[in-house]
C-alpha cells in the first residue's frame, strides 16, 4: 500500500524538536512492505492541517497523522480534521469516563480528549494515550500522538497489523541491508554497482556520511522465499564488487571492525594525534571492551610535545615541518617505542580554516603507521570544513590500521 505521513506541531517546524517519529514510522512501514510516497511536517495551523490531510486522503491508500491530539489549546489536529473532512466532533463516553476516573489533575482540561471526529475508532481503549482510526472514503487515516514512545508503540502494535489486514496480507516481502565503505567516492561506487542497480526488484542508494559512503540495498519480492533468494544473490555481488573498501554492514562502526581485527590478531594499538585532537581515540573508546586492544593515545599538538612525548627529532621538525611524511612516520615510531604497542597510527595535518600554504593547503594530512618494526606514511588531501577534515582524517587513520592488519593476516594464510 502507498501512504503518506503528516507530522503536526510548531515544535517541529521551528526546529525545537527533531521529527524522529516520522523517520521511525517510515522505516517500519517500509520494512512491512508499504511505500511512503510523501512526508509532511506542518505547524499547528488548522487550515493548513486540513488542506494537507484532504490532499493526502485523495491520493494515498492510507495516511498516518502524528501530533496535535493532546488537551492543550495548541493541539488542533482533531478540530482541523473535523472541519476539513466534514466530520463533526463527537463525544466518546468511554473516554470521558476514564478521564473522570482519574484521581488527580484537572479533569475538565482533559475532556477535550473525548471529542473525536465523527466515525473515529479508538485504537487502544485500555491505553492512557491518544490515538484513533478514521476511515474516510475507504482510506484509513491513523491518528497517533506526537510523543515518540507512544506513537511507536501504537504503530508497531496496532497500526501495522491493521494495515496488513487491510491489504489482505498481500504486501511485498522486503529485505534491506546497509553497506559501509571507505576509500571510494559516491560516484565511483555508483559506477561499480550500476549494472546491479538497473535490475528489477532491486534498489540501490548512496549516502556520503562523514568520512565514509554508505550503500543501501533494498529487495522487494512477492514472497519471503523469493525475497531471500534475490537478496542473497545481490548481497554476494555487492560484497565481491566492493572488496576491501567494504568494512562493515548496518550498525557496525569502523572502530568496532578495527578492534575485532586487532583482538583476533592479538595486537595492541596506540594513537598519536595532532590535527584531530583526540577524535581517533574517542571513536575507539566508544567501543565497549576496547581496553583489550587499545593501549591509549597522545594528543601532541605543539612541536614541543611531539619532541618530548613522541621523541620526534627537533631537526626533523625544522627541516620538514610538522605536517610532513617524515614527521608522521617519526610520531608513529616514537609512540610505539613509548607504549610498547605492536601497532601505532599517527596523524598530522592542516584542518583549517587557516594555516594552509601553496605547498600545503588546508586539508593536507599525513597518516603514519608503525607495524612490524617499520613505519610508513601516506599523504592525503581532504576538503570541507574543519570538522569534516578532522572526521575524514580520523576515519582514514582507522582504515589504515584495518588495511595493514588485513594485509598481514592474509599473508600468513
Amino acid at each position: 500500500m502507498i501512504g503518506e505521513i503528516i507530522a503536526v506541531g510548531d515544535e517541529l517546524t521551528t526546529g525545537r524538536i527533531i521529527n524522529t517519529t516520522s523517520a521511525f514510522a517510515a522505516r517500519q512501514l517500509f520494512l512491512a512492505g508499504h511505500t511512503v510516497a510523501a512526508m509532511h511536517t506542518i505547524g499547528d495551523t488548522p487550515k493548513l492541517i486540513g488542506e494537507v490531510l484532504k490532499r493526502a486522503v485523495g491520493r494515498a491508500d492510507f495516511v498516518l497523522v502524528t501530533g496535535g491530539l493532546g488537551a492543550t489549546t495548541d493541539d488542533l489536529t482533531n478540530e482541523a480534521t473535523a472541519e476539513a473532512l466534514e466530520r463533526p466532533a463527537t463525544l466518546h463516553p468511554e473516554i470521558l469516563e476514564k478521564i473522570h476516573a482519574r484521581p488527580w489533575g484537572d479533569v475538565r482540561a482533559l475532556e477535550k480528549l473525548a471529542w473525536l471526529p465523527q466515525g473515529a475508532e479508538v485504537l487502544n481503549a485500555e491505553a492512557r494515550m491518544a490515538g484513533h482510526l478514521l476511515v474516510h472514503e475507504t482510506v484509513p487515516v491513523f491518528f497517533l500522538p506526537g510523543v515518540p514512545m507512544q506513537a511507536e508503540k501504537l504503530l508497531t502494535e496496532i497500526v501495522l497489523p491493521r494495515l496488513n489486514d487491510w491489504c489482505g496480507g498481500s504486501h511485498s516481502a522486503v529485505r534491506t541491508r546497509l553497506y559501509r565503505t571507505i576509500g571510494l567516492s559516491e560516484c565511483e561506487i555508483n559506477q561499480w554497482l550500476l549494472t546491479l542497480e538497473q535490475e528489477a526488484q532491486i534498489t540501490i542508494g548512496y549516502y556520503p556520511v562523514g568520512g565514509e559512503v554508505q550503500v543501501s540495498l533494498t529487495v522487494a519480492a512477492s514472497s519471503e522465499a523469493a525475497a531471500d533468494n534475490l537478496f542473497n544473490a545481490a548481497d554476494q555481488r555487492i560484497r565481491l564488487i566492493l572488496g576491501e573498501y567494504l568494512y562493515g554492514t548496518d550498525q557496525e562502526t569502523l572502530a568496532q571492525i578495527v578492534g575485532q581485527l586487532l583482538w583476533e590478531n592479538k595486537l595492541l594499538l596506540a594513537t598519536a594525534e595532532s590535527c584531530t585532537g583526540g577524535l581517533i581515540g574517542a571513536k575507539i573508546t566508544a567501543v565497549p571492551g576496547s581496553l583489550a586492544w587499545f593501549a591509549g593515545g597522545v594528543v601532541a599538538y605543539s612541536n614541543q610535545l611531539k619532541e618530548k612525548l613522541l621523541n620526534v627529532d627537533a631537526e626533523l621538525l625544522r627541516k620538514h615541518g610538522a605536517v610532513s611524511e617524515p614527521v608522521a612516520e617519526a610520531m608513529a615510531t616514537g609512540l610505539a617505542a613509548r607504549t610498547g604497542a605492536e601497532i601505532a597510527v599517527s596523524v598530522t595535518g592542516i584542518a583549517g580554516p587557516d594555516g594552509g600554504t601553496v605547498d600545503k593547503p588546508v586539508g593536507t594530512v599525513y597518516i603514519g603507521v608503525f607495524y612490524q618494526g617499520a613505519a610508513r606514511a601516506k599523504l592525503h588531501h581532504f576538503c570541507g570544513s574543519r570538522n569534516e577534515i578532522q572526521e575524514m582524517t580520523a576515519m582514514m587513520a582507522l582504515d589504515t590500521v584495518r588495511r595493514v592488519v588485513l594485509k598481514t593476516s592474509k599473508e600468513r594464510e
Side-chain angles (χ1 to χ4, degrees):
M1 297 177 71
I2 299 175
E4 296 191 22
I5 298 174
I6 303 172
V8 179
D10 286 345
E11 70 277 10
L12 304 178
T13 57
T14 58
R16 295 200 309 270
I17 294 178
I18 297 175
N19 183 10
T20 58
T21 303
S22 290
F24 177 86
R27 177 68 173 170
Q28 297 305 311
L29 288 164
F30 166 75
L31 292 175
H34 304 290
T35 299
V36 176
M39 298 170 64
H40 314 272
T41 303
I42 55 180
D44 296 308
T45 306
K47 182 179 180 181
L48 185 57
I49 296 172
E51 290 175 355
V52 174
L53 179 58
K54 286 182 70 174
R55 287 200 301 268
V57 169
R59 63 193 176 199
D61 297 324
F62 70 91
V63 179
L64 185 69
V65 183
T66 65
L69 304 182
T72 58
T73 54
D74 62 343
D75 289 312
L76 302 169
T77 298
N78 283 332
E79 290 90 331
T81 300
E83 182 175 350
L85 302 184
E86 298 181 356
R87 289 176 172 269
T90 304
L91 177 66
H92 283 243
E94 70 279 11
I95 299 178
L96 188 62
E97 182 180 348
K98 290 182 180 296
I99 291 173
H100 284 286
R102 293 192 176 202
W104 65 87
D106 184 1
V107 296
R108 291 175 299 176
L110 299 175
E111 289 180 355
K112 177 182 178 182
L113 299 175
W115 292 85
L116 304 178
Q118 187 180 63
E121 171 195 342
V122 177
L123 289 176
N124 188 343
E126 302 304 319
R128 288 186 174 180
M129 65 181 76
H132 55 275
L133 166 65
L134 181 65
V135 180
H136 186 74
E137 297 178 354
T138 73
V139 177
V141 183
F142 295 92
F143 294 85
L144 304 182
V147 180
M149 289 184 63
Q150 296 179 358
E152 291 171 10
K153 180 178 176 63
L154 289 176
L155 178 73
T156 55
E157 295 181 1
I158 298 178
V159 175
L160 292 178
R162 293 288 292 271
L163 278 177
N164 185 53
D165 293 340
W166 210 278
C167 62
S170 60
H171 57 82
S172 300
V174 177
R175 300 290 182 271
T176 182
R177 177 163 289 162
L178 189 69
Y179 302 87
R180 308 184 75 137
T181 75
I182 186 166
L184 290 173
S185 70
E186 180 183 9
C187 291
E188 287 174 318
I189 297 174
N190 181 213
Q191 289 301 310
W192 287 13
L193 298 179
L194 197 57
T195 302
L196 178 62
E197 180 183 326
Q198 293 172 345
E199 294 186 10
Q201 299 176 287
I202 292 177
T203 302
I204 307 289
Y206 309 91
Y207 313 95
V209 181
E212 64 180 273
V213 176
Q214 298 177 0
V215 180
S216 67
L217 166 66
T218 303
V219 169
S222 57
S223 69
E224 301 292 333
D228 286 338
N229 292 335
L230 190 60
F231 175 82
N232 291 335
D235 176 70
Q236 291 179 11
R237 288 176 61 184
I238 289 176
R239 291 176 183 275
L240 181 63
I241 291 171
L242 295 179
E244 290 187 359
Y245 292 100
L246 171 66
Y247 76 78
T249 60
D250 296 327
Q251 300 304 311
E252 293 175 327
T253 68
L254 184 53
Q256 286 177 324
I257 298 301
V258 169
Q260 183 66 27
L261 282 171
L262 292 169
W263 184 80
E264 289 173 353
N265 288 274
K266 297 180 174 58
L267 298 173
L268 197 61
L269 170 69
T271 59
E273 303 185 58
S274 182
C275 59
T276 48
L279 182 58
I280 304 172
K283 289 181 177 294
I284 289 172
T285 54
V287 179
S290 54
L291 179 62
W293 47 271
F294 181 52
V298 171
V299 178
Y301 208 66
S302 68
N303 285 353
Q304 290 82 358
L305 283 186
K306 289 182 177 68
E307 294 175 32
K308 292 180 179 180
L309 299 181
L310 302 174
N311 293 330
V312 178
D313 188 86
E315 180 61 20
L316 200 66
L317 287 162
R318 186 196 64 79
K319 183 178 180 180
H320 298 281
V323 181
S324 64
E325 181 179 339
V327 169
E329 292 176 349
M331 289 172 64
T333 302
L335 181 66
R338 294 292 292 266
T339 63
E342 288 87 1
I343 184 167
V345 66
S346 63
V347 295
T348 178
I350 305 169
D354 303 315
T357 65
V358 174
D359 294 332
K360 298 178 182 179
V362 170
T364 299
V365 174
Y366 286 90
I367 298 178
V369 61
F370 176 91
Y371 185 48
Q372 294 183 334
R376 60 181 176 83
K378 183 178 180 181
L379 171 62
H380 298 267
H381 292 287
F382 301 123
C383 61
S385 67
R386 181 179 180 84
N387 289 341
E388 289 171 332
I389 290 172
Q390 291 174 325
E391 175 68 19
M392 287 184 280
T393 300
M395 292 290 286
M396 193 57 68
L398 288 170
D399 190 56
T400 299
V401 175
R402 180 181 72 94
R403 288 177 178 273
V404 165
V405 177
L406 278 176
K407 181 180 179 181
T408 54
S409 296
K410 289 183 178 180
E411 290 173 351
R412 289 197 299 266
E413 293 176 356

